[in-house]
Structure formats: structure tokens, C-alpha cells
Amino acid sequence: MLDLTAQEWTAVLLSLRIAVVATAVSLPFGIAIAFALARKNFWGKAFVDALVHLPLVLPPVVTGYLLLITLGRKAPVGAFLADHFGIVFSFRWTGAAISCGIMAFPLMVRAIRLSIEAIDRRLEQAAKTLGANRSWTFFTVTLPLALPGVIAGMMLAFARALGEFGATITFVSNIPGETQTISAAIYTLTQVPGGDRLALQLVVVAVIISLGALILSEWFARRAAARLHGE
Amino acid sequence: MLAVEVDKSLGDFTVSVTFVSEAGATVLFGRSGAGKTTVVNMIAGLIEPDRGRIALDGDTLFDSKTRTDVPPWRRRIGYVFQEGRLFPHLSARHNLDYGRWMSGLARDEATFKRIVDLLDIGALLDRRPGKLSGGERQRVAVGRALLTKPRLLLLDEPLASLDAERKGEILPYFERLRDEARVPMIYVSHDAAEVKRIATRVVRLEGGRVVENGGVELVS
């Protein structure tokens, strides 16, 4: 049924790699910022909140362009990273992971923040009276109780990263084998005569991956919720 | 010995109490809204007093003059809350072990067994709190607090969420704690019958102030 060419399979694998790396790398930051927004009052909180949500409301192409003029090879931050550490993001798959991670970040933070806000803080007080300092309380009580939200946030971020198109193509272009994701490959195929059949097959693959991720995360979330309710 | 002399404003309500508690069970007695829980939370370190001093066995836990405020996790005070507050994601056994993990105490099978037997919770160890009855949860919560080897045990209306039958089931355990384990206790209650059974001393609170301080005869 599926007879994808090597180039299409490369795009599929690349998309998976980019989405997994984007989700995994942004997770610790997502948890930290969600915790800060849910619990702390600090100067500039509204600004941080707005900044995190910006990729959700900006046109993706604008986000991609902003990345290009900060992290591009000739842009200030990009040039500094390239000259001093040899790290280059533009036109690399790592750059695609950054743009996908940033586009997915607000969804991840929202889901985790909501689950942290829903935690009964009296359980954290109980942990403190049992000898747990702030970090132990966080890792043994807060984080396990927020786990269903963390899983949901990872799922949303993964799906968003997998489907990201505008910001990625603007920042790292559409280079087969390096930055061409499923979405970009489908777009390319629809632009050439006779590409429809291959495009449709990629669409099927995209649907399968997304549904698979959804089912997997539902299963994990159910297990985590069952643990919390005493099964 | 616990010495408390603190002031705390909460909106237009002010708690201002001074009392001393020796061995046995000191009951903070009074109607709801008298400030009992606030006082207990200040002793535990969960609420910071505006002014005053709290000392336990000569060890200053809080002193507004010297800006001392020992955090709750270093006070070694056990706290049994009204609603148990067991960790829902941990089994009863892991709830009991939690304090030992956090304070880095070595495994002590003998103490564990003694407390499990004292509270009759041996059959519940592998269950999660969601599968325990209210009375069972409260007994595990008491065990969890005791296993941290506290210098003082705070019990904030530990029977309030239970029906009369369950109260009768748990009260004897508290008497055994007081008489056999000899853990000094601060016991919060508004129930005269309960107070008569458990109290060594009674501190009666009203409107955030101590109005009477004496023996069980204060409760009629």
C-alpha cells in the first residue's frame, strides 16, 4: 500500500526526530516555567506569560523570521554561537527542532501549568512537616501529582512539533534530508505535477503517527490518573 | 517542653496566644474560628507569626527578635492533619516510609513494626489511600507522623472527619500514644468528650486569645 521513496521516508524519520528532540529538550524548561507561572509572584511575570504565549498568536512565518534574524548564521546570536562554539542552527535539523520547540512551547506550558494549579497544596505542606525541603517536595509530591498534565503537555507539544510548517520553513528552509519534514515534503509534492499520489501516502503516514501518539499518551495519562486515585 | 508566645494578624482577626506545654497531651480547646489551627500551623512552621517566639526543648524554632525561623522540614515536629493528607500516589507503606526517606534516617524494622502494631495498620500497607476508609487513612497518617521520630506531635482535630463509631475506634490509639509511647502532643479539638479522655492539660481559646489554662476540669 505504501511505496514511499527514500526521500519521503527520510522526511518521515526526520520529522519524528525533530518532534522528539523538540519535545524532550523543551520539557524541563516547560515544567520550570509552568511551575513559576503557577506558583511564584515575580517582577515581570505578565511579560514572561505573554512571551511564552506569543508563538500561539503570532503568524508562524513571523516567528520563523524572528528566529532567522536572531539565530541565523549572520545574525548576532547565531554568529556568536557559530564563531565561539561552532553551533549552527540555520538550515540544519537542529534549527528545525528549535522552531518546532518554540511553536509547541505555549501548549506544553499551559497543560502543565493547569495541572500544577490543580494540585492540593496541603499535600505539599504535609511533605514539609515530614522533613522534605522545597526541592524534595517538588520532585516527590508536586511533579508526580502533575504527571497527567505533564503527559498531556508532551503530547500536545509533540503533535504541534510534528505538524509545524510555517516557522520551520521560514527559519531553516526545505532541504531534503536535512530540514524537509513531512509537512514540507507534502507541500513540495503538491507543487509538482504527478506528486499527488505520494503526497496522499505521506498524509496517511502523518495521520498514523499522530493517532498513535494520541493513543499512547491517553494510555499513559489514564495509568497516571489511576495511580493518583488509588488503584 | 514547648513554649509559645506569638501574635499573628489574619485580616481583621488577630491570634495572640501564650502558653507552655509539658509532657502528655495539651489540648487546644475552643469553638471553630478560635484560632486553634493557626496556632498549630505556627508551631509546625507552616505559618510565620508576625511577632513572638516559639521554643521546643530549649531549641528556638521561631524568634522575631533574632529573625530565627527554622523551616518546617527541620523542626522535627509530627503533624496529623484533620483530613489525613496521605499522598494519593503512594501506598500506605510508602506514605509511612516517606518521612524516613526525607530525613535520611536508617531503616528501623523494630520501630516500624511497633508503630504498625500499635495502630493496627499491618493489613493496609500495600493499599493506596484511595482504597482506605476514613478511619484507616487517619491511622496511617498518625503512623506516618510518628515514624519521623518527632519531638512533638501536633494533632489538628484528627477525628473531626470521622463518624462517632470511628472516633471510638481511634481514640484508644491516641491514649496509648500518650501513655505508652510518651510522645508529647498538642491536640486540637472542640469536642468536650474527646478532650476529657485525651487531655493532660487544657488551653481554652476564644477569639484568638487564651481565656483559660489548666487541667481537664476546665472542660464541662
Side-chain angles (χ1 to χ4, degrees):
Chain A
M1 174 189 115
L2 289 176
D3 55 345
L4 295 173
T5 65
Q7 187 181 329
E8 273 78 46
W9 277 120
T10 307
V12 171
L13 293 178
L14 194 61
S15 282
L16 284 174
R17 176 157 47 147
I18 288 169
V20 167
V21 168
T23 308
V25 172
S26 54
L27 185 62
F29 300 99
I31 292 173
I33 289 187
F35 184 78
L37 290 176
R39 289 294 174 74
K40 307 282 177 197
N41 278 312
F42 52 91
W43 191 85
K45 180 173 171 176
F47 177 74
V48 172
D49 200 8
L51 193 67
V52 166
H53 282 90
L54 213 52
L56 205 59
V57 291
L58 279 180
V61 176
V62 171
T63 306
Y65 189 74
L66 289 172
L67 281 171
L68 194 62
I69 59 172
T70 41
L71 288 177
R73 186 69 183 80
K74 298 230 170 75
V77 180
F80 176 82
L81 288 174
D83 295 344
H84 290 83
F85 303 100
I87 300 170
V88 177
F89 291 115
S90 49
F91 307 114
R92 300 282 168 84
W93 75 270
T94 46
I98 287 187
S99 66
C100 289
I102 286 174
M103 292 301 291
F105 203 59
L107 298 172
M108 179 185 267
V109 170
R110 278 184 88 86
I112 300 175
R113 177 183 180 172
L114 284 175
S115 71
I116 290 177
E117 281 171 349
I119 291 174
D120 185 350
R121 300 199 63 177
R122 295 174 306 172
L123 292 172
E124 296 171 344
Q125 289 189 333
K128 292 199 170 115
T129 67
L130 291 163
N133 61 24
R134 287 193 190 88
S135 7
W136 279 116
T137 302
F138 177 77
F139 285 109
T140 59
V141 177
T142 316
L143 201 53
L145 292 177
L147 198 59
V150 172
I151 293 170
M154 285 174 73
M155 166 62 208
L156 286 169
F158 178 81
R160 186 77 186 84
L162 198 70
E164 217 300 306
F165 179 74
T168 308
I169 209 164
T170 311
F171 179 35
V172 295
S173 183
N174 181 3
I175 307 163
E178 185 64 44
T179 64
Q180 189 178 69
T181 59
I182 296 182
S183 310
I186 292 172
Y187 172 75
T188 305
L189 286 168
T190 59
Q191 302 300 302
V192 297
D196 291 350
R197 201 181 49 83
L198 273 177
L200 192 61
Q201 294 199 357
L202 276 179
V203 166
V204 171
V205 172
V207 170
I208 291 171
I209 294 174
S210 305
L211 273 180
L214 186 65
I215 291 166
L216 202 66
S217 80
E218 270 296 302
W219 184 76
F220 274 119
R222 266 167 204 273
R223 266 186 47 141
R227 277 183 69 99
L228 296 188
H229 298 111
E231 297 304 319
Chain B
M1 187 189 81
L2 174 76
V4 177
E5 194 231 317
V6 287
D7 298 328
K8 175 77 183 173
S9 291
L10 300 158
D12 49 5
F13 180 68
T14 305
V15 175
S16 178
V17 295
T18 303
F19 69 92
V20 171
S21 160
E22 310 266 359
T26 299
V27 169
L28 299 183
F29 180 65
R31 259 171 275 165
S32 54
K36 307 184 294 291
T37 300
T38 307
V39 172
V40 170
N41 280 336
M42 286 193 279
I43 298 170
L46 297 175
I47 296 181
E48 190 186 338
D50 296 335
R51 197 206 62 75
R53 185 165 186 275
I54 300 171
L56 177 61
D57 302 334
D59 188 1
T60 304
L61 301 178
F62 179 87
D63 193 337
S64 54
K65 284 207 191 87
T66 58
R67 292 174 175 260
T68 308
D69 187 11
V70 177
W73 56 88
R74 289 210 209 98
R75 291 197 179 192
R76 291 193 42 225
I77 293 178
Y79 197 155
V80 178
F81 300 90
Q82 189 172 333
E83 351 69 62
R85 301 195 195 179
L86 294 182
F87 302 122
H89 56 302
L90 301 178
S91 66
R93 183 192 300 279
H94 288 162
N95 266 285
L96 291 170
D97 277 336
Y98 187 88
R100 185 173 61 76
W101 292 334
M102 289 307 128
S103 40
L105 293 171
R107 169 157 224 106
D108 180 350
E109 260 339 305
T111 308
F112 187 85
K113 193 173 175 318
R114 189 173 56 80
I115 288 171
V116 164
D117 288 345
L118 180 80
L119 297 164
D120 255 331
I121 50 179
L124 317 174
L125 292 179
D126 295 317
R127 289 198 230 158
R128 288 248 167 77
K131 297 278 180 196
L132 300 177
S133 73
E136 290 169 339
R137 252 180 259 162
Q138 214 54 351
R139 265 146 60 200
V140 174
V142 173
R144 181 176 72 168
L146 284 176
L147 280 164
T148 59
K149 307 198 170 159
R151 299 184 284 182
L152 171 74
L153 192 60
L154 306 171
L155 300 113
D156 184 11
E157 308 237 13
L159 304 179
S161 60
L162 306 176
D163 55 39
E165 199 181 325
R166 294 276 163 268
K167 280 186 190 174
E169 180 190 303
I170 296 188
L171 257 176
Y173 294 113
F174 290 154
E175 290 170 326
R176 283 167 76 180
L177 280 183
R178 182 193 59 196
D179 302 333
E180 292 172 27
R182 295 181 177 278
V183 186
M185 294 186 231
I186 302 290
Y187 192 107
V188 169
S189 181
H190 65 268
D191 181 314
E194 196 180 317
V195 174
K196 275 186 195 153
R197 281 186 65 173
I198 201 76
T200 313
R201 288 192 65 79
V202 175
V203 174
R204 201 154 74 78
L205 297 184
E206 213 169 89
R209 278 161 211 283
V210 177
V211 287
E212 274 179 303
N213 191 334
V216 193
E217 71 281 352
L218 291 184
V219 184
S220 51

